[in-house]
Amino acid sequence: MGPLEEGYVREAFATNWVSTVGPNLEAFEKAFSELVGGLPCVALASGTAAIHLGLKLLGVGKDDEVICPTLTFAASANPIVYEGARPVFVDSERRSWNLDPERLAEAIEDRVKRGRKPKAVVVVHLYGQSADLDAIENVCTQHGIPILEDAAEALGTQYKDVQVGTRAPLSIFSFNGNKIITTSGGGMLVAHDPAWVAKARFWSQQSREPSIAYEHKELGYNYRMSNVLAGIGRGQLAVLPERVAARRAVAARYEAAFRDLPGLSLMPQAPWGLHTNWLSVFLVDSGATRDAILQALAAEDIEARPVWKPMHLQPVFADCPRYGGEVAEDLFTRGICLPSSSSLTIEDQQRVIDVVSRVVTSRSATRTPARQVTPGGETWASRGG
Ligand SMILES: *Cc1c(COP(=O)(O)O)cnc(C)c1O
């Protein structure tokens, strides 16, 4: 948080606009709209709320099916169930770790054959990397199925030089505390059709009819963002380019430090876009090594996490159909998210690098017959062979 954010929040306090109406909300939406090519948008309480209203706009309802990548955070899938519909999970491709267009085509064809044409496809841009939108759109257009882009992790991410979350008729973003910019908690729904944004705004404020009396013809939700938090968002938008550059610099430093280490590689950077590296995610040669790194980091009081656990492995979604899942499972088993904050200092990052290097080097050494043992008892992998 910086002085800009504080100024806008102070203004909300001073003018007493502390609820879900006010100048910060209007200004935040206006500034955000500029980021997404002038598309209309509405600021909401969370990215999850935005997905929920987006699915309602697409007419998702009871007993419908909605396709969703299995490798994602649970918030991509949960709102499907809020509407009484069922997620159908599809595997990732290796180039981007996002929805695999070929698997998607297979899944849609099979669902159609069973008389269950999916009502929508949720496309996630994971960890700041764009999915292959051209290929995915191609498949969906053939079948006349609309896409909702879950760009919660992808503000600043580009697909073919354009910000993601602008191609599909509906897209969402998140400003949760862990995302690239934050409002502490919040989300944004973006649509091509201004009438859809107006409808979402109406639903987000309890569907209160524009009359003096409290009249409600439709079910409503308390999903609107607060004017105080929109003030934080206004300030954060101004630093987005810096945050993207900082996240990419963190990933580049890890990549340079680990380049010569065996069995450790940065998440691929797909050729079609700009990866913000919202998180610096690495793939380790085995699940055992991944866990050893997590443990060694924890012992040094450094928090790191595995990659998202695929949805088809979640007990809450045990009954949902799925197409593939092997790629997602492999990425989950071997993937590790290292500390990636834009405020991470060079010194702190070096501590992470030292621990990871020590674990990876000693584990590969124990597997290589040719190794040197130093007097201190540390083992070093032989680089010569
Ligand atoms: C964070 C996240 C969401 C949900 O956003 P919230 O603002 O936390 O509700 C949805 N999808 C993905 C992929 C996310 O990472």
Side-chain angles (χ1 to χ4, degrees):
M1 294 294 150
L4 266 179
E5 288 87 328
E6 198 178 338
Y8 291 128
V9 170
R10 221 177 262 283
E11 208 173 285
F13 275 58
T15 55
N16 210 28
W17 289 107
V18 293
S19 188
T20 53
V21 187
N24 278 337
L25 274 167
E26 283 169 36
F28 183 44
E29 285 173 353
K30 187 160 177 286
F32 195 88
S33 173
E34 278 163 27
L35 259 187
V36 291
L39 291 173
C41 58
V42 53
L44 299 171
S46 69
T48 311
I51 297 175
H52 186 191
L53 296 187
L55 293 170
K56 278 178 68 79
L57 286 165
L58 294 175
V60 171
K62 198 166 158 20
D63 299 330
D64 283 334
E65 288 187 346
V66 175
I67 290 188
C68 177
T70 186
L71 190 69
T72 187
F73 179 54
S76 306
N78 283 335
I80 299 169
V81 183
Y82 300 168
E83 282 305 305
R86 183 163 73 152
V88 173
F89 296 116
V90 174
D91 209 353
S92 295
E93 56 160 348
R94 296 227 173 241
R95 282 180 309 172
S96 70
W97 296 16
N98 288 313
L99 198 59
D100 181 336
E102 284 174 29
R103 277 293 161 104
L104 174 66
E106 264 172 51
I108 293 177
E109 276 154 32
D110 189 59
R111 296 325 285 172
V112 168
K113 225 182 285 164
R114 292 162 191 263
R116 307 285 322 255
K117 181 175 153 181
K119 193 83 178 177
V121 174
V122 175
V123 175
V124 183
H125 306 295
L126 218 52
Y127 297 124
Q129 168 139 280
S130 163
D132 188 0
L133 283 171
D134 278 345
I136 291 168
E137 207 175 66
N138 202 9
V139 172
C140 291
T141 309
Q142 271 174 34
H143 294 274
I145 302 172
I147 293 173
L148 186 154
E149 282 183 67
D150 175 350
E153 303 177 4
L155 190 56
T157 300
Q158 293 177 352
Y159 182 73
K160 303 193 172 164
D161 300 328
V162 179
Q163 166 67 51
V164 298
T166 55
R167 283 271 291 262
L170 273 169
S171 299
I172 74 94
F173 294 84
S174 166
F175 313 113
N176 190 26
N178 65 343
K179 300 301 196 295
I180 197 156
I181 62 162
T182 182
T183 58
S184 82
M188 192 71 84
L189 182 122
V190 175
H192 288 199
D193 184 347
W196 277 10
V197 168
K199 190 77 192 190
R201 196 183 301 268
F202 174 72
W203 283 337
S204 78
Q205 293 172 295
Q206 306 287 18
S207 300
R208 189 177 154 192
E209 293 294 330
S211 64
I212 294 216
Y214 289 90
E215 168 103 342
H216 305 272
K217 295 178 187 157
E218 282 183 72
L219 200 58
Y221 302 84
N222 184 5
Y223 276 176
R224 186 70 163 134
M225 181 183 277
S226 144
N227 186 64
V228 177
L229 303 190
I232 303 179
R234 282 178 81 182
Q236 289 266 294
L237 278 187
V239 297
L240 175 64
E242 285 165 40
R243 295 291 155 86
V244 172
R247 297 269 175 168
R248 284 175 56 80
V250 166
R253 282 197 292 271
Y254 280 130
E255 208 272 330
F258 298 150
R259 196 169 293 153
D260 295 333
L261 289 182
L264 190 64
S265 55
L266 183 65
M267 176 182 177
Q269 318 276 300
W272 50 68
L274 178 84
H275 192 329
T276 62
N277 295 111
W278 166 57
L279 294 187
S280 284
V281 193
F282 281 81
L283 208 55
V284 186
D285 65 347
S286 76
T289 311
R290 195 275 311 265
D291 290 344
I293 296 173
L294 284 174
Q295 275 167 22
L297 288 170
E300 299 285 334
D301 215 11
I302 299 169
E303 188 181 23
R305 305 257 181 101
V307 158
W308 301 129
K309 182 172 186 174
M311 293 304 109
H312 73 270
L313 300 178
Q314 305 287 357
V316 68
F317 296 124
D319 296 336
C320 299
R322 64 154 159 141
Y323 293 83
E326 304 76 18
V327 175
E329 279 178 42
D330 178 51
L331 298 174
F332 166 61
T333 307
R334 300 195 289 122
I336 183 171
C337 303
L338 295 176
S340 313
S341 171
S342 40
S343 58
L344 185 68
T345 63
I346 302 268
E347 294 73 35
D348 280 344
Q349 188 170 5
Q350 193 57 49
R351 285 179 56 215
V352 180
I353 290 169
D354 291 345
V355 174
V356 174
S357 305
R358 175 160 42 82
V359 175
V360 172
T361 310
S362 69
R363 289 182 78 86
S364 70
T366 54
R367 263 178 267 130
T368 320
R371 66 172 196 264
Q372 266 175 278
V373 180
T374 65
E378 287 171 272
T379 57
W380 299 85
S382 164
R383 289 273 168 84

